[in-house]
Amino acid sequence: MVDWTETDIQKVIRNLVARTSAKVFVGYPACRNPEWLRISVEFTYDVFTAAFTLRMFPPWTHAFVAPFVPARWRLRRQLRIAKKVIGDLMRTHREAVANGIEPEDTLLDWMMENSSPKENLLPEMAGRQCILTLAAIHTTSSTVSNVLFDLCDNPEWIPVLREEVEQVTKECGYLGERDDIQAKQWLHKLEKMDSFVVESQRHNAPILRT
């Protein structure tokens, strides 16, 4: 008899996407920082909770109602933590540049090097990084989770997609293994996988729930 362990796959995927996105957006060590990863996941929930709560009241009352909305207080606390995390990374970047050391290749470093003086202020940069997590994590994790659910509901597609991955791997090597084939080119060859993901998105369009 097989023992089954119940797993919240959506939570697992959210945490995985949060760490992956953090590696691209802010780099190490923030991508392993539990506080930053928690903010990355919870910031979106609290933004929409605060917004939907305020929408239940007339606009002219928002200034009076907002201080009593719990999600708003959570957002302020998250932004304080974000300032601390991003502030440490910004100092590390500036020290590296001052000492002639190549900084880590992250979106935060690019934003610091290409932003205006006002945009390069800590409150502005921390807020923008939180907004980036809002746009990236939940949409991606929702898509991946729905693809897994649809595969469970249509198991006949599992060997088809597996065979395609094995074929592309045989032709092009493992993803990132060859210098002459970029990741985008490698993934572009997964035509059946792409079709399955698109069809999954069509049946589970997030915009309908929004």
Side-chain angles (χ1 to χ4, degrees), residues 16-46:
L16 178 62
V17 174
R19 288 180 60 173
T20 305
S21 300
K23 178 62 177 175
V24 175
F25 292 162
V26 295
Y28 183 84
C31 64
R32 298 296 182 92
N33 186 327
E35 286 189 316
W36 179 256
L37 297 177
R38 180 175 56 80
I39 290 175
S40 299
V41 173
E42 295 180 0
F43 185 80
T44 300
Y45 293 134
D46 289 327

Side-chain angles (χ1 to χ4, degrees), residues 1-208:
M1 181 177 179
V2 178
D3 292 330
W4 294 88
T5 300
E6 185 173 326
T7 302
D8 184 354
I9 191 64
Q10 296 181 84
K11 181 179 179 180
V12 173
I13 296 298
R14 276 196 301 270
N15 291 335
L16 178 62
V17 174
R19 288 180 60 173
T20 305
S21 300
K23 178 62 177 175
V24 175
F25 292 162
V26 295
Y28 183 84
C31 64
R32 298 296 182 92
N33 186 327
E35 286 189 316
W36 179 256
L37 297 177
R38 180 175 56 80
I39 290 175
S40 299
V41 173
E42 295 180 0
F43 185 80
T44 300
Y45 293 134
D46 289 327
V47 164
F48 283 99
T49 299
F52 290 149
T53 301
L54 289 175
R55 286 180 63 181
M56 294 189 294
F57 300 90
W60 64 270
T61 66
H62 288 180
F64 305 100
V65 175
F68 300 98
V69 177
R72 182 174 179 269
W73 287 101
R74 291 195 296 270
L75 286 171
R76 296 182 67 175
R77 183 170 63 252
Q78 291 164 2
L79 287 172
R80 285 197 299 269
I81 297 173
K83 289 178 184 177
K84 180 179 182 301
V85 175
I86 300 301
D88 291 341
L89 295 173
M90 293 178 72
R91 280 191 293 273
T92 300
H93 173 87
R94 288 170 179 148
E95 290 173 0
V97 173
N99 295 321
I101 302 174
E102 185 70 23
E104 189 176 1
D105 187 15
T106 67
L107 182 60
L108 174 62
D109 294 307
W110 182 90
M111 291 171 68
M112 290 182 64
E113 294 171 359
N114 294 275
S115 61
S116 66
K118 180 181 178 181
E119 292 171 340
N120 222 333
L121 296 175
L122 176 56
E124 293 287 330
M125 198 64 71
R128 281 177 167 79
Q129 288 297 326
C130 288
I131 294 298
L132 284 172
T133 66
L134 184 152
I137 293 176
H138 290 273
T139 51
T140 304
S141 59
S142 175
T143 297
V144 175
S145 298
N146 286 327
V147 167
L148 292 177
F149 294 147
D150 287 331
L151 277 175
C152 292
D153 195 40
N154 300 274
E156 68 275 9
W157 276 94
I158 295 177
V160 175
L161 299 181
R162 189 185 186 100
E163 181 182 2
E164 183 182 51
V165 172
E166 292 174 347
Q167 181 62 33
V168 174
T169 302
K170 182 178 179 181
E171 294 175 0
C172 306
Y174 289 103
L175 181 61
E177 183 180 40
R178 290 172 50 178
D179 295 334
D180 59 328
I181 299 180
Q182 298 180 354
K184 186 176 181 179
Q185 295 173 308
W186 199 99
L187 294 171
H188 187 69
K189 295 179 179 293
L190 300 178
E191 297 180 354
K192 295 177 182 177
M193 178 75 74
D194 180 72
S195 298
F196 190 90
V197 173
V198 170
E199 190 67 7
S200 177
Q201 289 177 315
R202 186 176 72 84
H203 283 278
N204 306 282
I207 192 65
L208 296 179

